[in-house]
Amino acid sequence: MTTTTTRRRARPTELAERVAAAGWTALSEELDSLGCAVTPRLLDPADCRALAALYDDSSRFRSTVDMARHRFGSGRYRYFADPLPEPVQSLREAFYPHLLRTARDWAARLGRPAPWPDTLGEWLTMCHDAGQTKSSQILLRYGQGDWNALHRDIFGEMVFPLQVVIGLDEQGTDYTGGEFLLVEQRPRAQSRGTSTVLRQGHALVFTTRDRPVRSARGWSAGPVRHGVSTVRSGHRHSLGLVFHDA
């Protein structure tokens, strides 16, 4: 007799615990030095596959963007509709308080306002009051030859300075190529690029628009854009968590 068991997916409390245990002192230091930082594994392979499979369920999304049509690159991504599915909602809520500390610290260094309240719910209410009412959470799919041009995910005046992308497939097994790219324009110097392999279930935290860079005059804002290098084979899925709405 064969018994089939179904693996239990991570509950919201478990996801919050995993995010909290990610080692935020080291992550914050890496964000300060590079503008991006990789967490330990947060999602198991089964959770990643379940999220990637949502891409084919059109009822989950409010819109689909063909990147080639808009000259954004090649490939497609879809914006989730509200209410967000689990674990997208739980991950977004779990990350916010940890990112908030860095966001406020960077704003202080750059002499900027820090309008972000203590909770994600309060911040999203501010976004909605400003007319940014659409979900900005993204599920991306790249096939062979697809890529994403360097860009920023800014949809209005209300901007949270950090965001997160989570790998849902394994590079080298499910696809090749497709590295995450971050390019920083340094003050009065050549730009600096960072390439990161987005491992399955791991999150990459990175700056949305710019980050503080020390200069002879104190702190300056180093503009940053991000993208994805060409996928050479297979399919690459990723989950994008943006902390302001569109």
Side-chain angles (χ1 to χ4, degrees), residues 136-203:
S136 57
Q137 311 316 296
I138 311 169
L139 190 59
L140 303 101
R141 171 184 283 175
Y142 301 87
Q144 183 175 350
D146 289 342
W147 56 284
N148 197 344
L150 296 173
H151 66 284
R152 295 167 174 162
D153 295 313
I154 298 174
F155 310 112
E157 293 186 1
M158 308 299 282
V159 178
F160 193 80
L162 293 157
Q163 60 193 85
V164 174
V165 61
I166 301 175
L168 303 179
D169 297 305
E170 193 67 60
Q171 193 196 52
T173 301
D174 300 310
Y175 69 96
T176 60
E179 293 84 3
F180 182 90
L181 304 175
L182 199 74
V183 176
E184 176 183 286
Q185 181 182 334
R186 298 184 299 159
R188 295 174 297 280
Q190 298 283 355
S191 297
R192 178 177 70 170
T194 301
S195 173
T196 304
V197 172
L198 193 58
R199 297 166 58 195
Q200 186 182 51
H202 295 252

Side-chain angles (χ1 to χ4, degrees), residues 7-11 14-15 18 41-54 86-87 91 166-168 200-201 239:
R7 183 191 171 279
R8 181 181 60 81
R9 295 182 186 174
R11 288 193 288 257
E14 292 175 310
L15 292 175
R18 292 177 190 178
R41 184 186 291 276
L42 302 177
L43 294 176
D44 296 329
D47 294 314
C48 292
R49 288 191 292 271
L51 273 170
L54 293 178
E86 289 292 349
L91 285 166
I166 301 175
L168 303 179
Q200 186 182 51
L239 170 67

Side-chain angles (χ1 to χ4, degrees), residues 74-169:
S74 178
R76 291 184 175 184
Y77 59 86
R78 312 191 83 171
Y79 286 105
F80 279 103
D82 288 319
L84 297 174
E86 289 292 349
V88 179
Q89 178 67 25
S90 296
L91 285 166
R92 198 183 190 202
E93 292 177 350
F95 269 104
Y96 180 82
H98 303 285
L99 302 181
L100 181 61
R101 288 191 285 271
T102 295
R104 288 172 172 171
D105 179 53
W106 284 7
R109 292 190 218 176
L110 293 172
R112 294 175 175 174
W116 315 288
D118 290 341
T119 68
L120 177 62
E122 292 174 290
W123 168 238
L124 294 180
T125 296
M126 292 172 62
C127 290
H128 297 172
D129 290 344
Q132 294 176 216
T133 60
K134 298 178 181 178
S135 168
S136 57
Q137 311 316 296
I138 311 169
L139 190 59
L140 303 101
R141 171 184 283 175
Y142 301 87
Q144 183 175 350
D146 289 342
W147 56 284
N148 197 344
L150 296 173
H151 66 284
R152 295 167 174 162
D153 295 313
I154 298 174
F155 310 112
E157 293 186 1
M158 308 299 282
V159 178
F160 193 80
L162 293 157
Q163 60 193 85
V164 174
V165 61
I166 301 175
L168 303 179
D169 297 305

Side-chain angles (χ1 to χ4, degrees), residues 177-237:
E179 293 84 3
F180 182 90
L181 304 175
L182 199 74
V183 176
E184 176 183 286
Q185 181 182 334
R186 298 184 299 159
R188 295 174 297 280
Q190 298 283 355
S191 297
R192 178 177 70 170
T194 301
S195 173
T196 304
V197 172
L198 193 58
R199 297 166 58 195
Q200 186 182 51
H202 295 252
L204 177 73
V205 182
F206 62 99
T207 179
T208 300
R209 179 171 55 188
D210 54 26
R211 73 179 187 90
V213 178
R214 189 180 290 279
S215 67
R217 300 178 181 179
W219 292 99
S220 300
V224 176
R225 294 181 296 164
H226 66 276
V228 175
S229 70
T230 303
V231 173
R232 297 181 179 276
S233 65
H235 286 87
R236 176 192 187 276
H237 296 83

